[in-house]
Amino acid sequence: KAGVTQTPRYLIKTRGQQVTLSCSPISGHRSVSWYQQTPGQGLQFLFEYFSETQRNKGNFPGRFSGRQFSNSRSEMNVSTLELGDSALYLCASSLGQGAHDEQFFGPGTRLTVL
Amino acid sequence: AQTVTQSQPEMSVQEAETVTLSCTYDTSESNYYLFWYKQPPSRQMILVIRQEAYKQQNATENRFSVNFQKAAKSFSLKISDSQLGDTAMYFCDFMKQEYGNKLVFGAGTILRVKS
């Protein structure tokens, strides 16, 4: 079974631009969660999608948004980029049936904002 | 809000020896899940072990075991017979027992296994 894939792997943007990151979950997984990893703040939960609906949301500003498609693939969008948005963005997929589900992480997208 | 504290930013251990990583957490929930995830250098994060709070028995997975002290809100990870491949960042994580997935991560402990 193929693992979680994220595209692109690396991205360089400038302040004020917007960016879209993509995550393809493991086949059969219906939940996709997004996390931001920075040296200063560590790993922080952004949001989770399950069956095309946002099921959980972290404490990030409205510039961070996401969606999930009928095939469970998910995208996250960051508008009006700031320098502080530079981070490794990880997505994780799971069956989505309960908190006991193991989450499988992708390799991440490294976003650099100049 | 839940918080997870890992007080050891870095640790090192000799190959074949045993090492224990510490983790404490704060929550008012009575039902929850605890996890240890590892993130090897330049590789994907993977689950090491998980513990349901309602279970008194400590979880074990081969060379990995936990010491779960619910009253003390402590959840340490013991790695026996350490191997070079265990070198990684280890995260202690908390998840409420609710509908959906939302991991609260600790700051992580870098573990280096030396030959």
Side-chain angles (χ1 to χ4, degrees):
Chain A
K1 221 180 221 185
V4 178
T5 58
Q6 292 187 245
T7 56
R9 293 294 309 280
Y10 301 92
L11 207 48
I12 299 176
K13 293 285 188 179
T14 56
R15 278 180 298 174
Q17 287 186 311
Q18 75 167 19
V19 67
T20 299
L21 313 181
S22 180
C23 173
S24 293
I26 291 172
S27 177
H29 285 191
R30 296 167 66 191
S31 166
V32 174
S33 299
W34 289 89
Y35 296 86
Q36 181 195 65
Q37 186 175 20
T38 60
Q41 299 297 317
L43 276 148
Q44 294 183 287
F45 173 80
L46 281 154
F47 30 64
E48 181 211 5
Y49 285 86
F50 177 77
S51 292
E52 302 178 66
T53 301
Q54 188 179 84
R55 187 161 68 173
N56 274 302
K57 189 177 187 302
N59 297 321
F60 277 80
R63 299 185 298 107
F64 292 81
S65 62
R67 59 178 176 168
Q68 186 179 35
F69 301 95
S70 58
N71 62 358
S72 293
R73 189 177 70 85
S74 177
E75 289 181 346
M76 68 163 281
N77 183 275
V78 188
S79 63
T80 318
L81 284 166
E82 300 176 359
L83 295 178
D85 297 332
S86 294
L88 180 67
Y89 289 88
L90 297 172
C91 81
S93 77
S94 70
L95 290 169
Q97 295 171 1
H100 61 283
D101 291 341
E102 178 178 353
Q103 293 198 50
F104 293 83
F105 284 81
T109 293
R110 173 76 62 184
L111 171 65
T112 301
V113 182
L114 302 175
Chain B
Q2 291 74 35
T3 58
V4 177
T5 302
Q6 293 179 249
S7 58
Q8 305 151 314
E10 295 187 33
M11 294 190 72
S12 62
V13 63
Q14 287 296 127
E15 205 174 1
E17 293 189 345
T18 296
V19 64
T20 299
L21 307 184
S22 301
C23 172
T24 58
Y25 59 93
D26 187 27
T27 184
S28 58
E29 304 285 329
S30 56
N31 295 315
Y32 48 88
Y33 298 84
L34 295 163
F35 306 82
W36 280 96
Y37 277 85
K38 66 183 275 190
Q39 188 176 36
S42 303
R43 293 179 60 190
Q44 289 165 232
M45 183 120 53
I46 58 173
L47 176 67
V48 175
I49 198 165
R50 64 177 156 227
Q51 174 81 44
E52 292 86 350
Y54 63 86
K55 289 186 178 179
Q56 292 187 332
Q57 187 172 6
N58 289 323
T60 63
E61 285 287 344
N62 301 314
R63 298 183 294 108
F64 299 88
S65 61
V66 298
N67 183 4
F68 173 48
Q69 302 290 329
K70 191 172 184 179
K73 295 181 182 175
S74 170
F75 183 61
S76 61
L77 174 69
K78 186 172 82 171
I79 306 174
S80 304
D81 186 26
S82 297
Q83 300 176 0
L84 295 177
D86 294 334
T87 293
M89 173 81 93
Y90 286 80
F91 293 99
C92 176
D93 306 308
F94 174 98
M95 184 185 289
K96 290 197 295 184
Q97 185 180 356
E98 63 180 10
Y99 191 58
N101 296 313
K102 179 180 178 180
L103 282 170
V104 177
F105 280 80
T109 295
I110 298 172
L111 176 67
R112 295 186 176 86
V113 180
K114 299 178 178 179
S115 59

